[in-house]
Amino acid sequence: MSEPKLQLSGVKKAFGSKEVLSGVDLDVPKGKSMVVIGGSGTGKSVMLKCVLGLLHPDEGSIKVDGEEVTNLDARDRDKLMQKFGMLFQGGALFDSMKVWENVAFGLIQGRGMDRKEARDIAIEKIRAVGLKTETAELYPAELSGGMQKRVGLARAVATSPEIIFFDEPTTGLDPIMADVINRLIVEQVKELGATALSITHDMASVRTIADYVAMIHEGKIIWTGPVGDLDRSGSSYVEQFIHGRADGPITRRVV
Amino acid sequence: MSAQSEEIIGNSPPGGKSLLDVPLDVCAAIGGTILTFFAVVGRLAMFVGRAIAHCFLPPYFPNQLLRQLIDIGYYSIPVVGMTALFTGMVLALQSYTGFSRFNAEGAVAGVVILSVTRELAPVLAGLMVAGRVGASIAAEIGTMRVTEQIDALSTLSVNPFKYLIAPRVIAGTLMLPLLVFVGDIIGVFGGYIVAIYNLDFSSGSYLTQTWDTLETMDVVSGLVKAGVFGFIVAMMGCYHGFNSQRGAQGVGAATTNAVVSASILILIFNYILTQVFFS
């Protein structure tokens, strides 16, 4: 692996007595796409929120470009966020704003760019994700789920971030639309030369967008390797997960 | 040691509770409630401190502030105006009914102007705005919380305290005094209408009595109260919305809590401020 852009070491996070992350160690190489797989409730989203600073880890270290970022003050955190882009699972589009205003939001409010210039960039990004220019004037509520994901992707890449996070990018989409979104993710990440960290349990998504895969189970990374090694991981947990078998070392309590 | 003495010092038999466990359980429940209360007060104090700091620290979002000034101020005029109008009218009627028993009808104008400016306009406007604006703020921010829009703001390098909270708190604090000033005028006008057209007062003497009774402090104290109430309404809406739990039920609870807590705080602070101004 090349030099890590993002490095997590011994990251722990508990909510009350429930420990969700029990010491996550993960290196994401610069310019590569790392996908973290794992079942629901294994700590994927919590890990992502710790990296983004939306949650504060109880223990451990998170480094971006070799710099510790766990205890940044608000001003430095805002500055760090300029390196990040994020596609949320539900889109998280601002429903009071038009599509182009959503895409241009980070440019106008986060970077202080002129509205006209930001609008031009937003339209360009909207077209780059396969939407028509007219879509720019619509509100998020007027869009289908797939279109909202595309707008979310356009917003995530509009500020040309160095690191892009994808939270369950294909959840709730039909297989064809899921593949379209996966291909757009690959295209946009490659075009920007960005580092990507995704979390998903959609194996088709993993095989399309990942350079490296890591599996999280019970709050720990239990396997990591190139996507090509996924089918010969030698881990019974990974085997069970990628083949979607009910029988195996991963047991689910039915509540 | 006998079984009886073991029970007295708290070594409970399997499956049962000793006599000492009952008062201990009561103490634990009371202690837990007190700790929860202080935890909530602490969280609220930290939230208020952060919100106030972000009102003064750059960057600023003037467009958001303007939008909130219009939402909170301009669109609340009908609600506050109607409340003030009918309050003034009822006040004139009721005070006339009461004072006529003592042949003191001439005090109606003074009672209306003092009651409206000192108490009724700020308190009723505060409560009406808590219902209209506090609920709206909590529901909007709560929905943004549960749909991850607040997280999205952070990932786009925009501090949610500066973008969402500060403009609403500033707008609430500035606009409620203006609304109350308008409410003062409309409330007095309501009393005037009833006094002249229903109770056969002379227009000139009613206005003279009104003007003679009024002192600057009466209006100023009402406007200061209104500023405090506006701050409370906006802050409660923001706090409960920002800390909304997941789902529609969470947003509903946040909205209810915002209105209830703002209303109670308005009544408490009304007493405190009245004590400060007029004791």
Side-chain angles (χ1 to χ4, degrees):
Chain A
M1 276 197 199
S2 57
E3 162 199 358
K5 178 82 175 170
L6 183 63
Q7 201 169 18
L8 285 80
S9 317
V11 175
K12 291 186 179 181
K13 180 70 187 172
F15 297 97
S17 59
K18 184 174 166 51
E19 191 170 59
V20 179
L21 299 181
S22 334
V24 170
D25 298 304
L26 183 70
D27 287 356
V28 183
K30 192 173 181 178
K32 299 291 178 188
S33 175
M34 168 73 78
V35 176
V36 179
I37 57 173
S40 303
T42 50
K44 302 192 298 291
S45 293
V46 172
M47 181 193 75
L48 206 57
K49 286 185 175 180
C50 285
V51 176
L52 285 163
L54 301 173
L55 290 173
H56 193 270
D58 300 330
E59 276 181 49
S61 152
I62 299 172
K63 290 181 179 173
V64 176
D65 290 326
E67 284 186 33
E68 185 64 47
V69 298
T70 40
N71 289 312
L72 292 180
D73 60 24
R75 190 176 294 248
D76 289 337
R77 171 64 60 184
D78 288 347
K79 207 177 285 177
L80 174 72
M81 284 296 186
Q82 295 193 349
K83 290 185 176 183
F84 294 168
M86 168 94 184
L87 172 60
F88 286 86
Q89 185 178 351
L93 300 177
F94 305 123
D95 43 25
S96 59
M97 295 177 197
K98 290 178 180 175
V99 163
W100 80 263
E101 289 173 319
N102 265 281
V103 177
F105 188 87
L107 297 169
I108 297 170
Q109 307 293 358
R111 309 272 169 101
M113 188 182 282
D114 168 66
R115 269 179 83 82
K116 180 160 183 334
E117 194 183 341
R119 190 176 191 281
D120 292 342
I121 294 174
I123 301 278
E124 183 192 313
K125 296 295 178 188
I126 286 166
R127 294 183 64 169
V129 296
L131 294 171
K132 291 179 183 167
T133 310
E134 301 88 76
T135 314
E137 294 300 324
L138 300 176
Y139 283 90
E142 298 173 274
L143 306 178
S144 68
M147 289 168 87
Q148 288 190 12
K149 286 275 182 180
R150 289 181 193 227
V151 175
L153 178 59
R155 185 175 71 179
V157 299
T159 53
S160 304
E162 295 172 29
I163 306 174
I164 313 177
F165 301 94
F166 299 99
D167 182 5
E168 311 271 7
T170 54
T171 298
L173 300 178
D174 67 70
I176 297 169
M177 183 53 74
D179 193 47
V180 169
I181 295 292
N182 286 334
R183 285 166 195 272
L184 281 169
I185 287 173
V186 173
E187 192 182 298
Q188 292 295 317
V189 170
K190 291 252 185 297
E191 195 179 308
L192 290 170
T195 304
L197 176 61
S198 313
I199 56 174
T200 186
H201 37 59
D202 175 1
M203 291 314 298
S205 190
V206 175
R207 293 181 194 282
T208 311
I209 66 179
D211 294 318
Y212 293 95
V213 180
M215 177 153 177
I216 189 169
H217 180 64
E218 292 182 346
K220 276 190 171 174
I221 300 292
I222 55 167
W223 181 84
T224 185
V227 66
D229 291 352
L230 193 59
D231 292 315
R232 45 178 187 279
S233 64
S235 162
S236 52
Y237 289 88
V238 176
E239 288 275 311
Q240 184 191 353
F241 187 84
I242 65 174
H243 293 109
R245 294 190 197 112
D247 298 323
I250 304 172
T251 51
R252 286 287 165 84
R253 256 189 325 171
V254 179
V255 182
Chain B
M1 195 183 284
S2 70
Q4 192 181 10
S5 62
E6 272 184 3
E7 186 175 309
I8 289 169
I9 63 167
N11 291 335
S12 57
K17 280 193 169 188
S18 75
L19 283 174
L20 273 179
D21 284 340
V22 177
L24 284 177
D25 285 351
V26 172
C27 288
I30 294 169
T33 308
I34 292 170
L35 286 176
T36 306
F37 172 76
F38 282 114
V40 170
V41 170
R43 270 200 300 272
L44 179 60
M46 285 171 68
F47 185 90
V48 171
R50 277 180 78 185
I52 292 172
H54 284 292
C55 288
F56 295 101
L57 297 171
Y60 308 109
F61 293 97
N63 288 341
Q64 281 300 303
L65 179 60
L66 183 65
R67 198 190 126 201
Q68 294 307 322
L69 289 172
I70 293 169
D71 269 2
I72 296 174
Y74 180 72
Y75 290 120
S76 295
I77 290 175
V79 176
V80 172
M82 291 293 280
T83 307
L85 180 70
F86 287 102
T87 302
M89 291 168 81
V90 167
L91 196 58
L93 274 179
Q94 289 287 23
S95 51
Y96 178 80
T97 309
F99 290 141
S100 62
R101 294 177 188 169
F102 311 102
N103 295 320
E105 295 92 338
V108 169
V111 168
V112 169
I113 185 75
L114 289 185
S115 306
V116 167
T117 53
R118 284 184 176 196
E119 293 297 329
L120 294 174
V123 172
L124 293 180
L127 293 175
M128 296 307 284
V129 171
R132 198 192 86 79
V133 174
S136 154
I137 290 175
E140 186 179 356
I141 295 182
T143 305
M144 290 184 76
R145 164 63 73 201
V146 299
T147 55
E148 296 185 305
Q149 290 179 51
I150 292 180
D151 291 344
L153 279 177
S154 299
T155 64
L156 292 163
S157 313
V158 174
N159 190 316
F161 267 81
K162 290 191 192 301
Y163 189 78
L164 294 176
I165 313 293
R168 283 166 173 79
V169 171
I170 295 170
T173 311
L174 293 180
M175 292 317 287
L176 205 61
L178 286 178
L179 286 168
V180 166
F181 188 71
V182 172
D184 285 347
I185 295 167
I186 295 175
V188 172
F189 178 70
Y192 172 83
I193 296 286
V194 168
I196 303 307
Y197 296 103
N198 199 359
L199 304 174
D200 294 329
F201 276 69
S202 141
S203 171
S205 68
Y206 186 91
L207 288 176
T208 306
Q209 282 172 14
T210 299
W211 193 249
D212 288 347
T213 312
L214 186 66
E215 290 178 7
T216 310
M217 191 58 185
D218 300 325
V219 179
V220 170
S221 67
L223 298 184
V224 172
K225 281 182 179 182
V228 174
F229 298 164
F231 177 82
I232 288 171
V233 168
M235 195 58 84
M236 287 298 104
C238 291
Y239 174 75
H240 288 287
F242 203 80
N243 292 297
S244 175
Q245 301 298 308
R246 295 262 165 208
Q249 200 176 13
V251 177
T255 308
T256 306
N257 291 338
V259 176
V260 171
S261 57
S263 302
I264 290 170
L265 285 174
I266 283 172
L267 297 175
I268 293 170
F269 273 85
N270 183 47
Y271 173 76
I272 294 169
L273 291 170
T274 305
Q275 186 82 21
V276 169
F277 282 120
F278 300 110
S279 64

